[in-house]
Structures are given as C-alpha cells and as structure tokens.
Amino acid sequence: MQFPESWLREFCNPPLTSQQLADTLTMAGLEVEACVPVAPPFSKIVVGAIVQAEQHPNADRLRVCKVDAGTGELLQIVCGAPNARVGIKVPCALVGAELPPGEDGKPFQIQVGKLRGVESFGMLCSARELGLSDDHAGLLELAADAPVGQDVREHLKLDDRLFTLKLTPNLAHCLSVYGIARELAALTGAPLNEPVFPRVPAAHTDKLPVKVLAPDLCGRFTGRIVRGINPQAPTPAWMVERLARCGQRSVSALVDISNYVMFELGRPSHIFDLDKIHGGLQVRWGKAGEQLKLLNGNTVTVDETVGVIADDQAVESLAGIMGGDATSVGDETRNVFVEAAFWWPKAIAGRSRRYNFSTDAGHRFERGVDPQLTVEHVERITDLILQICGGQAGPIDDHIVHMPESKPVTLRVARAAKVIGMPVTQQQCADALRRLSLPVSEGDGTVTVTPPSFRFDLQIEEDLIEEVARVIGYDHLPHTPPLAPVTAKIRPESRRAPFQLRRQLAQLGYQETINYSFVEERWERDYAGNADPIRLLNPIASQMNVMRSSLLGSLLAVLKFNTDRKAHRVRVFELGRVFIKDATVADSDTTVAGFAQPMRVAGLAYGDDASLQWGLPARAVDFYDVKGDVEALLAPRVPTFESAAHPAMHPGRCARVWLDGEPIGFVGELHPRWRQLEGWQQAPVMFELDLPAVLERPVPVARPVTRHQPVERDIAVVVKEGVTHAALMAAVHAAATHGWLKQATLFDVYRPKKGAESAGLAADEKSLAVRLTLERGDANLTDEEIDGVVKAVLASLAERVQARLR
C-alpha cells in the first residue's frame, strides 16, 4: 500500500522524523518497503504567470513570453512548449535555479542564454523537467489561484515522502491511511484525530428497492440515492494529488471520490448510475451462464459460486470486486446510487483471480472490512459528492442481514511470557491491547478481549500474544543466547561424506540433478510398483500429487527433458530422500509416525559409453558399464549381484545388489515397455542404492609387505553353460587353501561353435580359465603345497559346480 506521509500525519502526527516513523511501523510488523521523496531536489523554481506570449521572430516553434515570477519585473523567457499561452500559471525556473539531474546524472543549472538571437532569463518547466512525471508534452499548468512568486515546492507540497508498506494478510485493518494512523497512535502514544461523519440531511424521500437474497455473501448492504449531480465537475486538485501519491490516477469526480474514501478509510464502495438500473437491485449468488461486461472491458461468465449485484434484467456488478459497464457513471449521469456493503471474506476470496485480474476492492474485502461503519462511510461519500458535484441526497437505506459475531479471546499472561521469550506482566499485556483500541477485561492471570468489528484477525490466543509483542516492540525483546550445550556431531571415520560421493560420481562422468519430491502418480505405479503412494492434500501442480518412493522416475524425467532437446549422451545422478508408508516408524524429532524417509543415491546412463572421439569406436552404454560404476562406488567393499525383478527394469537385465549379506538396491536396463512409451531407441541403464550403505567404508588397516614371492597358477575347467561367474568364484574361494589363496581372476571364456563339438566340449558347455594367486606370509610355498591348493580348488569346483579339469 502506498500513501503520502503528509496524509498520515493529518490523522496522527508523532514527534518523529520520516525515517523514525518508517522504523517504528516496520518494527511493529507493518514493513515499510520504501520511503522516498515525492519529488527530486531542485531550487529557485517559483510560480510564474504568462502575461504575454509572442511568436519568436526567427523560429516557428518558439514563443517569446513575458512572465510575472514575483520578482518585481517581467522576465523574458523563450519557450517551445505548445501550451505556452497568456493567462496560465506554470513553474518558472529563475536564473541560478538548479533542476533535477538528467539522464547523465548531473544537475542542470539555469543561466541567461540566447535562443535564435533572443535572450532568455529563465525557463518554463514541464512535469518531466521537475521529475514529477514522464509527461513532457507541454508546460505543467498550475491552479489558477496559485500565488505568483511562491516556491513551487511549497505550492505543490513536494517536501513530502511516499511510504510503501508490505502488509501481511492479517493486517487488513491497516489497508487505509486512517487504519495505519490508528496503529501509529497505539505505538507512539500520539493523539489520534478520529474522522467525523456529519449526517447529510435528506432532501427527498426516494429509495431504491434492494433485496439481499444471500446472507452468506452479504451481511450488510447500505445505499443512498443522490439526484441532480454535475458529473463533469472537476475533481479538486488536492484530491487528485493525494490519489496520485497513492498510485491511483484521476478518472472523474465520482470515481475519484469513491477511490479517495477507500484509501482514506479502507472501505471500497461503488456508485451506480441510477437511471441505468432496471427496477431494483438483488444481492445474490450468480447463475450458471450469466455474463457481465466489467468496467475494465472484460466480459466474464459467472456461476453459483460468484456473488453478484443484479437488477431486474441482468447482472450489474461482481460483488465486492468490480462494477459493471452497463451501470457505470459517465458525463450524462445525473442521478446516482451510492452503495457500501459488508461482504463475507470467504465469499470474495479467490474470485477475481479466477478471472485473471485483481482489484483494490477485492484485495480488501477478502481480508475483511469493518461491517459496522457502512452508514458512516456512505455519509462521507455523500458529503464529498455534494461538495464537488452538487445534488440532493435521499435517506440512507440500511439492510442488516447477517453480521459477524465476535467471540472473546483469552490471553494467559504466563503463556504470553513463554511465547514472547521475556517476562511480561498482566498490566503490560492489558495496556498494550487497550492502546490498540481493543475492549479488555482482566481476570486472575488472564486478559480477555472481544475483538472489535475491524479486527478479523483476532481469533486465538497467539493472535493476542502477537499484538502484545508488536506494541512492546520487537526491538525491545531481549537477546537471550541459547543455554543448551552445542555438541558437534562428528562423522565416524568409517563413513564418508555425501560430498565425497558426489565428487566420485562426477569423476565417473555423471552430472548431479536436483528434483522435486512431488511426482506424478503414474511414475510411482510404473517405475516403483507403488499402488498406494503418499498423496498430497494441496499439490503445487495437479500432476505432482504424490510423494516419490523412488528416485528413478525423476531421473527418467530429466532424461526425457534432455533427449527432447536432442541430447545424445546423458549421465545424471541424484542424492535425495524418498517417502514410503511404514507403520513401524515411530514419531520422533527426526521422523514422522507411519512414514519412512530414507536417503538414496540413483544414477542413469544413456547414449554412448564415451564421448565422440577418434581413439575408440562408438559403443552404446550397457549393463556392465553401470555395474562397474556401482562397484567403483562401493570399493573396496565387494558387492555381489543376483538376478532379480524390478517394476522399472528389464526382466532379464536387472540385478539386485547385495553388500555384506544385505540387499542395498538394484541395477539394470529400463523395461522395454517404458522405453517404447517414451520413444527411446536405446534403453537407459539405471541404478538405485541405499545411501547409508554406499557411504559406509572400512577404515584402512596397515599390513606388512610380505617378503616372500607370490605364485601364480592357471587352471581351465569345463562347466555347464548355466554356471555363472559368481558361482564359479564362490566355489574357488570355498576351497580349503589354508589362507594361501589371495586372489582368483577369470581371464578367459571359451565356447564351442554352434552345432559342433570342439576340444572335448559339448554344445551346452564352456571352458573357463582362472588364474590363482597364492602367497604365504611366513615362508615360500613349496611345489607340494602349491599342488595341494590347486587340487583343493579343483575338488571344490567339481563338488559345487560339477566342473572338470580341461
């Protein structure tokens, strides 16, 4: 909300500077976003009257003017403004005057000069040259009664400042200059000049028939007929000035009066052209299909959830938001109906946003406007109409249908002291609330307030505690350091930091992504097999309505975003939290009952294994590339992989990852069904692992370097085609080798050609060559010991995988 400081000080004028006043409001919760001068600095610019204007002898667009600037003699000034004419009063910059800085940032000083051979002793100014507006079409014309020679700053009241407040929704009672003054009086103790609403005597008895058919929409409807007005009467300069400094342009006298009272008292109102109303008015909910052309030119269609004011033929206004074009006042208006009403906030909230616009009236009504002062505000509007436009007022017609009931709210002093964080007495609490014009009754350790009609925000005890803290002043709250000991949580040496994991994944060629935890329900069903995800009560978007239980959907969405933009190679990862229903989870400082929230790390690779280059042929990334990345993340711990099924992964190219006998995640290709659905020619390969398991890493232990030479022996065994590498290695390490077998490596696989036996191998057999590395720490191995280890390995292979020596 924007308003001039001078207007505020008419209601409440504490002995504070502008900056102190701004600080006081801000510390009370009325944040002052800006406090700027109305006009930039300039000097020696006075009111001048043009008494003579003649054509310049050497220029068609210049005029030589004689100006009375109150100096005792007429000044000759050459001017090129198209509206320079005899009889008007304009700002006149005298010789030596300093105008506001121009585009170069330097002040402009007026000196005696010559224009086309004619001397000029000053300058006549436009609004733009004074920094008052961007209008430079002509001279700034001042009021006809402006005193000649008076300083323009004094005449236009330019030594003023504009306050811009950023108000929270609970401060609806401060959406007016008087409302802010009422707060300022409570904060500073300065006297408050309350507005007076003199009753306008009725000059006729005419009333407009009004029916309030929706008590849940309108609780009170007050109106009055004013006849015989002059709609073309000019708006007074003082009103135009104040509206402009509130950010509102002048439209016409009637519209300006309505806007002025809204800024002054916080009451939006509407003025109908009485002669355009057919019959009477009905205040009701809209009907499906009804249309209304608004004052902003838009035509809207209403339904049963939108409040309207209608006459006997059509809808004429959106209740509490904007009037209709059909009954708008204009130059031909002679009779008007002035309306002020109380609209229930819930009946107005969100309606204007439905039509993609907002209004000052809707902004106020949806937060709450005082229902008790509709008659007084109609009197104020009527008084201004009669002063400016003339006319004869009729009696006030006041319909009270359904008024809000104020329920007492009790504040416990002990509770207030605990919440505020400083000791407060009952007297302090009661005095603070009384200063805010709240009716207070005191009990034993309690203060009870019945909220007045203009305070819609006082509903619970915490609201009163906030008011007490605001009046005391947030800057007066004590600075109390925390008393609890601060103990650093040291990360165990056996667990690396997530940042180290991020660096390792980046070194493997992956790029980190950060995604919402809110996902599409389809992702949970298709990619996680979760038929009962955690649903959001108020999703930020309709398609992001559930919480994710897997990171894979987010990574696939990132891949889709990139491939749609012609990315041919994508490697991404994410460290994030997933959310799963789990009845075994108890409530604590870090958990929520019934919901598990584990951290996971997931990655995805798509496209070629390596970037395009000349040294390596192009090869699509496959399961084993990503499997190798997983092994690198877990090293030096050695995981095992076993065939498994996952909703998002290929049924034959998916493995569960085991570590120290515990399953920690999955790795595999995307299921062909989902690949075809997204239109990818190649299947991305993905992994998802429990983050704590990945972060665990054994602490390195020093071992002495052996003094004895290791021994290598190669064996080739024949096994069935179905024997896996894991089964082969398990059989090798299960042999009784006295701890001398340090390493076993598969280095060759041989299969016979299809349809024929080769080297003693059947069609369903294969030959596997394994290198055994043997080492003894206390002595060199003898041939007998080496042969014994080899025989033990062969025996274990024969027993476990039915292998025979080739």
Side-chain angles (χ1 to χ4, degrees), residues 230-232 252 329-334:
N230 175 17
Q232 299 182 13
S252 66
V329 295
D331 292 342
E332 305 301 323
T333 301
R334 291 293 177 269

Side-chain angles (χ1 to χ4, degrees), residues 339-362:
E339 165 263 313
F342 166 66
W343 307 100
W344 286 96
K346 289 184 179 180
I348 305 301
R351 271 48 173 199
S352 59
R353 289 184 289 277
R354 181 182 303 182
Y355 301 113
N356 297 321
F357 68 86
S358 62
T359 64
D360 287 330

Side-chain angles (χ1 to χ4, degrees), residues 49-54 64-68 74-77 86:
I50 301 178
V51 298
Q52 185 177 338
E54 298 178 351
V64 180
C65 301
K66 298 292 184 179
V67 180
D68 180 6
L74 296 181
L75 302 178
Q76 178 175 283
I77 300 176
V86 175

Side-chain angles (χ1 to χ4, degrees), residues 89 154 332 516 653 664 773:
K89 293 181 179 179
E154 180 183 352
E332 305 301 323
Y516 281 111
R653 299 173 186 174
I664 65 168
T773 301

Side-chain angles (χ1 to χ4, degrees), residues 254-303:
L254 291 173
V255 175
D256 291 347
I257 290 170
S258 178
N259 288 332
Y260 180 84
V261 173
M262 179 181 68
F263 287 116
E264 180 185 41
L265 304 174
R267 165 79 57 190
S269 59
H270 188 61
I271 301 177
F272 294 85
D273 187 325
L274 179 66
D275 298 326
K276 297 179 181 178
I277 298 176
H278 303 90
L281 292 180
Q282 298 177 1
V283 181
R284 57 174 174 80
W285 293 105
K287 300 176 182 178
E290 286 185 319
Q291 290 190 330
L292 168 65
K293 184 178 180 182
L294 299 172
L295 290 174
N296 62 6
N298 295 346
T299 299
V300 298
T301 302
V302 303
D303 57 23

Side-chain angles (χ1 to χ4, degrees), residues 6 11 47 77 145 183 258 274-275 294 358 530 569 593 633 662 711 724 775 790:
S6 59
F11 288 111
V47 176
I77 300 176
D145 58 352
E183 289 287 305
S258 178
L274 179 66
D275 298 326
L294 299 172
S358 62
N530 185 7
R569 184 176 184 271
L633 292 180
E662 295 289 335
V711 177
T724 64
E775 186 179 18
V790 174

Side-chain angles (χ1 to χ4, degrees), residues 93-220:
L94 305 177
V95 174
E98 192 172 88
L99 270 65
E103 295 180 357
D104 57 357
K106 297 179 181 179
F108 181 70
Q109 193 167 22
I110 302 300
Q111 298 176 352
V112 177
K114 278 189 177 182
L115 280 79
R116 295 290 182 92
V118 177
E119 284 190 318
S120 181
F121 297 89
M123 175 179 172
L124 303 182
C125 305
S126 68
R128 183 177 183 180
E129 288 161 341
L130 297 181
L132 303 181
S133 73
D134 291 330
D135 183 13
H136 62 286
L139 300 176
L140 174 61
E141 298 189 25
L142 304 177
D145 58 352
V148 172
Q150 185 183 31
D151 191 296
V152 166
R153 298 192 71 88
E154 180 183 352
H155 174 68
L156 295 178
K157 299 178 181 179
L158 299 181
D159 293 323
D160 197 357
R161 300 182 73 85
L162 295 180
F163 280 67
T164 303
L165 269 59
K166 183 179 181 181
L167 299 175
T168 51
N170 64 312
L171 296 175
H173 59 287
C174 295
L175 284 170
S176 66
V177 178
Y178 174 70
I180 296 168
R182 184 170 49 201
E183 289 287 305
L184 187 59
L187 297 170
T188 63
L192 176 66
N193 298 323
E194 297 187 7
V196 179
F197 306 103
R199 290 192 174 274
V200 177
H204 59 81
T205 60
D206 297 343
K207 288 186 179 181
L208 180 70
V210 174
K211 294 181 180 179
V212 180
L213 304 179
D216 55 339
L217 167 66
C218 178
R220 186 174 187 178

